[in-house]
Amino acid sequence: MKDEIIKISGKLVDIHKRKIYPASIYLSGEIIREIREESNAPDKFILPGFVDAHIHIESSMVTPGAFAGAAVKQGTTAVVSDPHEIANVLGKEGVDYMINDSEKVPLKFYFGAPSCVPATSFETSGAEINVEDIDIMLGNPDIRFLSEMMNFPGVIFNDGSVLKKIDSAKKHGKKIDGHAPGLRGEMLKKYVSAGITTDHECSTLEEAREKLSLGMKILIREGSAARNLDSLKELVRTNPEDVMLCSDDLHPEMLRERHINKLVSSLISEGFDPYNVIRCATINPAMHYGLDCGLLRPGDKADLIVVDSLESMNVSETWIDGKKVFENGRVVFDYIPGKKVNRFVCSAISAEDIKVKKLPGKIRVIEAVEGELITGTYLWDPGNIDVITADVESDILKIVVKDRYKDFPAAVGFIRGFGLKKGAFASSVAHDSHNIICVGASDEDIVEAINAVIKMKGGLSAVSGNLKKTLTLDIAGIMSTRSVDEIAAAYQDLSETVMSFGTLMKAPFMTLSFMALLVIPELKIGDKGLFDVKEFRLVSLFI
């Protein structure tokens, strides 16, 4: 029995011929059988489906299957995903979970082998992926690349295990993603010469152009935390063949509203060449990673979208492998989650566990800025007191990290920039190892917020006196099987609760999650204590 022929008509945006013309596209099974130019067509535009060139699905706080339901609404048909977050919790089991769950939905997921699990040896993670594991994973056709090599010092200074992972990727013919914020000069040359092919951490044109000159592809990131589109968008004009678009980390409330489609529409509305812009979100990632996603040519997989205009990029239809998966506000596929996975071994804490006794010297305080992964260091003299607590008037709050894998004692520090006047909020979404992290104005609320997360075995909490709100994340303590809409609503409610505690931050949980990210400068905190990223070592609270 022959496949039914499906006809889709509209204004075809042909990024290969660089023109827009009335056309009818004929689909047969998974494939585009024919494209016919017409004399006229309906007033709608047909484009290839968009590809997010680098994303951590886990940051959306939902599973791949739930993520797919939100992504197809925005015209996304494929994602290049680094399962680094769940791998730090569950290792290879976590990566297998992501692959298996993604197979329940039509969205095309292309997963990498996480290169840095744990990200550093200076915090407690739930698992390790060693050189042998990497080699086995890269031999799997479901694993398309070696994920971002965050340990750039290991590359530069010839760490044996790091170089073996890179060699394994070369042996299997897989691309190697980079992660080298601010790396320049001779050290950058050595990093690139090892075989690193991309970078999504550029924040300035000068940095990006230096990396381009050495042969790297630049992924322009516009996520929930780091947003570099405005700084780097000129590259779409000057280097359209070497640029891709990505979100990296996209929280649920933002995924509900936009994905790559709105980055494309924003650039086109500003006057950027539409063919160059669309190329960055389609052809470039497909060619670089060797993805089997369609690019709107006869014989290609039928992965396409229908939108109202190039300037607004509102999606009315999304097709993947010749099947309509989204139409006029409705997702046309079901998602049935599989078994739950987690790793959570953690006992409740008490106020005594986070008490800080005065020692000689000033205190190192983390300086946080909303929307920034980079932090600063502030030296604080708390005065002549025996026990040091938060100083709300000076915006110096207590920050606590409690490991959730081996039940070690909590690490305690201080932080400024959150502006809480009362209460505390905690999360088991804490990059990279996803231990429990909490910021608060009082020890009592901090303890209650952390213990609420422990009781849920993962999730978010906000506490102030008798007020307590929570959101359970029942997959590895970082994701939920619920829909993006449900999680976004709950997440937004929690964020607003924290705002009512006095913070001026619009995304306090997101900023909190990066305070334990020990690979981004300057001063961070893990479950083993304060960490100076520039010196790459643990440091004392008192100096």
Side-chain angles (χ1 to χ4, degrees):
M1 183 177 176
K2 290 185 177 181
D3 290 316
E4 176 190 3
I5 301 297
I6 299 172
K7 176 183 174 183
I8 304 172
S9 297
K11 297 176 180 177
L12 176 64
V13 182
D14 192 326
I15 48 178
H16 309 281
K17 297 178 180 177
R18 295 181 63 84
K19 70 175 186 176
I20 298 172
Y21 53 89
S24 292
I25 301 173
Y26 294 86
L27 314 184
S28 176
E30 298 183 352
I31 303 299
I32 294 176
R33 178 175 175 176
E34 183 183 2
I35 297 177
R36 293 181 191 169
E37 190 164 350
E38 309 280 13
S39 57
N40 56 67
D43 190 21
K44 55 187 180 182
F45 294 82
I46 306 172
L47 296 78
F50 294 127
V51 181
D52 189 330
H54 177 77
I55 188 170
H56 303 278
I57 299 297
E58 304 96 314
S59 292
S60 66
M61 299 184 196
V62 296
T63 58
F67 176 93
V72 296
K73 294 178 182 179
Q74 312 295 345
T76 302
T77 55
V79 293
V80 179
S81 177
D82 176 5
H84 168 87
E85 311 298 347
I86 196 170
N88 269 283
V89 178
L90 290 162
K92 188 176 180 297
E93 179 190 356
V95 178
D96 290 340
Y97 172 86
M98 299 296 278
I99 294 172
N100 293 335
D101 195 75
S102 72
E103 291 173 348
K104 299 175 183 294
V105 290
L107 185 73
K108 295 183 175 182
F109 291 85
Y110 300 99
F111 289 106
S115 67
C116 300
V117 178
T120 78
S121 60
F122 297 99
E123 59 183 336
T124 305
S125 68
E128 178 185 0
I129 294 180
N130 59 30
V131 173
E132 291 74 20
D133 295 328
I134 288 289
D135 194 59
I136 292 169
M137 293 171 74
L138 289 171
N140 181 348
D142 287 332
I143 299 295
R144 298 302 186 104
F145 59 101
L146 182 64
S147 296
E148 53 185 303
M149 182 50 73
M150 294 185 291
N151 188 2
F152 60 83
V155 178
I156 294 165
F157 298 110
N158 301 316
D159 180 282
S161 65
V162 169
L163 296 184
K164 285 179 181 177
K165 291 176 182 178
I166 290 173
D167 288 341
S168 178
K170 293 176 180 176
K171 179 182 76 174
H172 290 286
K174 305 289 176 78
K175 297 291 186 181
I176 306 165
D177 272 359
H179 173 113
L183 194 64
R184 308 286 296 272
E186 293 303 313
M187 289 195 295
L188 173 62
K189 289 179 182 178
K190 186 166 184 182
Y191 183 72
V192 176
S193 69
I196 315 294
T197 63
T198 68
D199 190 86
H200 61 273
E201 292 288 342
C202 294
S203 57
T204 67
L205 274 174
E206 293 73 23
E207 178 186 353
R209 283 175 173 152
E210 182 177 355
K211 289 174 177 175
L212 282 167
S213 72
L214 295 172
M216 297 186 93
K217 305 292 185 182
I218 299 300
L219 280 59
I220 300 179
R221 171 178 57 187
E222 188 75 1
S224 292
R227 303 181 186 182
N228 308 120
L229 185 64
D230 279 345
S231 299
L232 303 179
K233 61 189 177 184
E234 186 61 24
L235 298 177
V236 176
R237 211 185 306 274
T238 59
N239 301 81
E241 296 182 356
D242 299 315
V243 171
M244 303 174 229
L245 302 179
C246 76
S247 53
D248 196 6
D249 293 291
L250 201 60
H251 278 219
E253 82 288 358
M254 188 169 286
L255 176 60
R256 182 173 57 178
E257 303 300 326
R258 62 94 166 159
H259 198 192
I260 300 299
N261 60 324
K262 294 305 179 183
L263 308 188
V264 171
S265 70
S266 172
L267 290 168
I268 293 174
S269 297
E270 285 187 49
F272 283 78
D273 182 291
Y275 307 108
N276 288 347
V277 174
I278 296 168
R279 177 191 182 95
C280 293
T282 55
I283 291 178
N284 290 354
M287 297 299 290
H288 180 76
Y289 292 102
L291 311 181
D292 53 347
C293 50
L295 298 172
L296 264 186
R297 297 169 297 191
D300 275 3
K301 291 288 183 70
D303 303 331
L304 57 94
I305 61 175
V306 180
V307 304
D308 59 346
S309 76
L310 302 187
E311 288 74 21
S312 62
M313 208 60 72
N314 296 315
V315 180
S316 60
E317 295 178 23
T318 301
W319 296 72
I320 299 177
D321 286 344
K323 293 181 180 178
K324 187 184 292 183
V325 297
F326 174 74
E327 180 179 27
N328 297 326
R330 187 173 67 92
V331 174
V332 195
F333 61 86
D334 295 321
Y335 166 56
I336 301 174
K339 69 173 185 177
K340 295 179 180 180
V341 292
N342 203 354
R343 183 164 290 152
F344 215 102
V345 180
C346 190
S347 304
I349 67 168
S350 68
E352 188 67 27
D353 295 326
I354 62 170
K355 182 183 289 186
V356 177
K357 294 181 179 180
K358 180 73 167 69
L359 294 175
K362 293 183 178 181
I363 288 178
R364 289 183 170 94
V365 177
I366 300 168
E367 286 194 293
V369 179
E370 184 175 30
E372 295 289 341
L373 279 63
I374 294 174
T375 58
T377 301
Y378 172 74
L379 298 181
W380 173 47
D381 184 354
N384 190 23
I385 52 178
D386 293 330
V387 176
I388 304 169
T389 57
D391 183 349
V392 172
E393 296 304 314
S394 301
D395 185 25
I396 297 191
L397 306 172
K398 186 171 281 188
I399 184 167
V400 177
V401 177
K402 175 73 176 79
D403 102 275
R404 60 149 161 147
Y405 305 109
K406 298 183 179 178
D407 209 16
F408 293 136
V412 184
F414 291 86
I415 192 165
R416 67 189 302 208
F418 278 91
L420 293 184
K421 303 302 181 186
K422 62 179 182 178
F425 64 109
S427 173
S428 57
V429 177
H431 307 286
D432 279 313
S433 291
H434 300 291
N435 290 302
I436 305 167
I437 189 166
C438 181
V439 162
S442 77
D443 286 6
E444 294 75 20
D445 288 336
I446 289 171
V447 167
E448 188 65 27
I450 289 174
N451 287 341
V453 174
I454 292 171
K455 185 176 181 180
M456 293 183 287
K457 294 190 180 297
L460 314 179
S461 68
V463 173
S464 180
N466 293 327
L467 172 66
K468 180 166 72 174
K469 291 188 177 183
T470 61
L471 168 59
T472 301
L473 298 175
D474 53 354
I475 304 296
I478 56 177
M479 293 183 292
S480 170
T481 56
R482 295 161 64 190
S483 72
V484 167
D485 286 344
E486 290 177 283
I487 295 301
Y491 178 73
Q492 208 155 358
D493 180 56
L494 271 172
S495 296
E496 289 171 0
T497 299
V498 175
M499 291 177 203
S500 75
F501 296 167
T503 186
L504 297 178
M505 288 187 175
K506 296 178 181 177
F509 280 99
M510 180 178 64
T511 304
L512 177 66
S513 71
F514 288 109
M515 294 304 100
L517 185 56
L518 306 190
V519 294
I520 301 289
E522 176 181 328
L523 186 64
K524 297 291 171 65
I525 184 169
D527 71 289
K528 296 180 181 180
L530 286 175
F531 190 76
D532 186 317
V533 183
K534 287 187 175 180
E535 296 185 12
F536 221 70
R537 66 181 181 93
L538 292 164
V539 294
S540 62
L541 179 61
F542 292 89
I543 185 172

